[in-house]
Amino acid sequence: MKPAVAREIKQIAAEAGALSWALVRESRHLIVDFRFTDCVVRQVLAATPSGPRARQNEAAWLKRRANLGG
């Protein structure tokens, strides 16, 4: 995994309040499991984001999903 991709995933996890994350698969899309206190959320991320707000939108989606309990 490229260091820039790892930094982006760490930033998304930090913004969403995830305790940890694990990369499940990396190809055109990244499949990442984010662990929260009461659930694990699997999220599919584009390997190359489409725009400057793409990663912010992914973090927002992750927060909403975690609040629902996975």
Side-chain angles (χ1 to χ4, degrees), residues 3-4 9 17 33 35 43 53 59 69:
I9 295 173
D33 284 346
R35 181 170 301 281
Q43 185 170 2
R53 287 202 41 88

Side-chain angles (χ1 to χ4, degrees), residues 8-60:
E8 288 179 352
I9 295 173
K10 286 179 188 176
Q11 182 179 358
I12 291 170
E15 287 178 20
L19 301 175
S20 64
W21 59 273
L23 183 67
V24 177
R25 189 176 75 201
E26 179 180 12
S27 58
R28 286 184 173 193
H29 291 86
L30 308 172
I31 300 176
V32 184
D33 284 346
F34 292 95
R35 181 170 301 281
F36 295 89
T37 55
D38 57 346
C39 66
V40 175
V41 177
R42 180 167 285 185
Q43 185 170 2
V44 179
L45 309 171
T48 55
S50 59
R53 287 202 41 88
R55 295 296 189 214
Q56 292 172 344
N57 292 337
E58 291 164 349

